[in-house]
Amino acid sequence: MKLGIVFALISAGLFGASTPLAKLLLGAVDPWMMAGLLYLGAGAGLAAVHLSRAALRLPAVEAPLRQTDLPWLALVILAGGVLGPLLLMFGLARTDGASASLLLNLEGVATMAIAWIAFRENVDRRLLLGALAILAGAALLSWQGRATLDLGTVLIAGACLCWGIDNNLTRKLSSADPVQIAMLKGLIAGTINLVIALGHGAAFPSAGAVAAAAVVGFFGYGVSLALFVLALRHLGTARTGAYFSLAPFVGAVRRPEGDRGILARRHLHLGLALCRL
């Protein structure tokens, strides 16, 4: 179990760091194009790892994907590889990076809720209380003194819902090779998003921007996903989602100002503490 916690925390750290970095690149890259480049970077990097293992003739330690896994993989790619990053990129374009990073706590809440309601996974009282505290903190961060939420917040919440679905469906594949899962997800989802972006007239960015997005995607989406799959084996979906809720704090590079920001952070820290017990 301790090994699963380590996998989940490293996965969270890598993904959390990718959010503000992607935000920096959005000034020069179309959101749809960015979603494609991030996942293509993840897929291409892991493909290199996969081919290196074969070239060195290293013994296989993981079971390959089976034909019966393909429908689950297709749903994972659609929810987590196409819709999730697309909604996040458009949400980031309308929200500052720190607040967006903290709003990604909703992914952990969505993961736990779906695991409990749809897949009947055991979720104890501490996890539920933690999820409610996280949700309260995210709501405080997103409220700007208006009765309605801004579009950027709604889009990021939609991305978190997609990834919550993705995380639960990925549990069905967790016995297979995590590198192969993340590689296929990256290559297929990245290609789909890139084709759509070009079809909508998005300009192809500079070589420097492409390289930067590829590196962010490899670590923040590819390596992170492979480690997340390994964590699922040891911890289950709900508890892995709880540990993964640390990701937004890595991406929140500055503190929100004022009493509302301080109170929101207290809610988020309380929620994470309860989930980690």
Side-chain angles (χ1 to χ4, degrees), residues 2-270:
K2 289 183 178 179
L3 187 59
I5 294 173
V6 172
F7 288 146
L9 292 178
I10 296 175
S11 174
L14 290 172
F15 180 72
S18 71
T19 301
L21 293 174
K23 171 69 176 178
L24 291 175
L25 292 170
L26 277 174
V29 184
D30 174 82
W32 222 318
M33 178 71 69
M34 176 62 71
L37 292 175
L38 288 172
Y39 267 102
L40 276 177
L46 292 174
V49 173
H50 186 70
L51 292 173
S52 297
R53 291 191 309 189
L56 294 173
R57 297 183 179 180
L58 297 176
V61 295
E62 298 284 351
L65 285 166
R66 301 164 297 179
Q67 188 172 357
T68 53
D69 294 327
L70 297 183
W72 294 111
L73 180 62
L75 291 173
V76 163
I77 291 171
L78 176 62
V82 178
L83 298 178
L86 182 61
L87 291 172
L88 176 63
M89 291 306 111
F90 278 106
L92 279 176
R94 295 167 172 81
T95 312
D96 70 272
S99 295
S101 293
L102 289 169
L103 285 170
L104 289 176
N105 275 292
L106 293 173
E107 179 184 348
V109 178
T111 298
M112 284 185 273
I114 295 169
W116 181 39
I117 297 171
F119 293 93
R120 305 300 181 187
E121 186 170 320
N122 181 42
V123 177
D124 59 33
R125 184 177 298 177
R126 290 193 305 272
L127 284 176
L128 286 175
L129 290 174
L132 290 175
I134 290 169
L135 183 61
L140 285 167
L141 283 168
S142 61
W143 183 63
Q144 302 293 329
R146 299 188 297 270
T148 58
L149 296 176
D150 64 272
L151 181 58
T153 297
V154 173
L155 290 170
I156 293 172
C160 291
L161 177 60
C162 289
W163 279 322
I165 295 170
D166 172 17
N167 293 338
N168 280 275
L169 295 179
T170 300
R171 182 74 173 90
K172 300 289 186 179
L173 306 172
S174 61
S175 61
D177 185 351
V179 172
Q180 187 182 23
I181 294 169
M183 176 188 71
L184 291 174
K185 181 179 180 180
L187 291 175
I188 296 171
T191 300
I192 291 172
N193 279 316
L194 189 64
V195 169
I196 294 174
L198 293 173
H200 279 260
F204 204 79
S206 66
V210 171
V215 171
V216 172
F218 173 64
F219 288 102
Y221 287 74
V223 178
S224 176
L225 175 57
L227 293 173
F228 186 88
V229 172
L230 291 173
L232 286 173
R233 294 181 186 176
H234 296 270
L235 303 175
T237 309
R239 195 162 292 278
T240 301
Y243 281 102
F244 197 78
S245 293
L246 286 169
F249 289 100
V250 178
V253 294
R254 64 173 178 82
R255 289 182 175 271
E257 297 177 356
D259 294 338
R260 179 170 59 87
I262 294 171
L263 183 60
R265 282 184 177 273
R266 287 176 179 172
H267 275 288
L268 293 170
H269 281 294
L270 173 62

